[in-house]
């Protein structure tokens, strides 16, 4: 049986390389048939905010990478509800490709994985 992996992405999408590196790590592990989950927490929830225009910053929009996750076997992106609340974000402002985890669900979700990497 394969070890399960959860990648936690906690950084805003265009502040440094951590957000892209977390996505890259998820794609690579899934490519090697490692059951992989992606959890957005903290400022990481901004990564799937709809209507981003990073081209003005000279950066590539990460939303296309999120939309390709399913091709690699990562069927959903998990989002920490508390992080959304802390940032006054409404779930309707996000791209429709996530599952919201609220309260103790985050700890339960993480406990289901053998390995956890945080970016």
């Amino acid at each position: 049986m394969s070890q399960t992996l959860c990648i936690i992405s906690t950084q805003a999408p265009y502040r440094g390389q951590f957000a892209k590196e977390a996505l890259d790590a998820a794609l690579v592990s899934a490519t090697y048939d490692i059951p992989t989950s992606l959890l957005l927490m903290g400022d990481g929830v901004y990564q799937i905010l709809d209507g981003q225009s990073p081209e003005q910053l000279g950066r590539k929009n990460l939303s296309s990478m999120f939309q390709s996750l399913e091709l690699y076997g990562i069927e959903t992106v998990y989002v920490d509800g508390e992080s959304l609340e802390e940032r006054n974000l409404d779930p309707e402002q996000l791209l429709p490709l996530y599952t919201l985890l609220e309260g103790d669900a985050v700890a339960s979700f993480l406990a289901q994985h053998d390995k956890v990497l945080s970016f």
Side-chain angles (χ1 to χ4, degrees), residues 21-97:
E21 288 175 2
L23 279 169
D24 288 343
L27 291 171
V28 168
S29 65
T31 299
Y32 285 99
D33 293 326
I34 297 169
T36 305
S37 299
L38 180 62
L39 172 61
L40 303 178
M41 296 183 77
D43 287 344
V45 298
Y46 290 119
Q47 294 177 36
I48 59 170
L49 194 60
D50 199 11
Q52 297 181 32
S53 299
E55 298 80 19
Q56 297 172 355
L57 301 171
R59 304 296 281 278
K60 187 175 177 182
N61 196 327
L62 295 180
S63 64
S64 61
M65 286 182 76
F66 277 100
Q67 293 171 354
S68 70
L69 290 173
E70 192 172 356
L71 297 172
Y72 292 86
I74 302 172
E75 296 175 6
T76 190
V77 174
Y78 296 88
V79 175
D80 174 38
E82 187 175 312
S83 296
L84 287 180
E85 247 179 68
E86 289 171 354
R87 286 153 184 79
N88 294 316
L89 293 175
D90 188 313
E92 292 180 12
Q93 294 175 276
L94 306 178
L95 295 170
L97 49 78

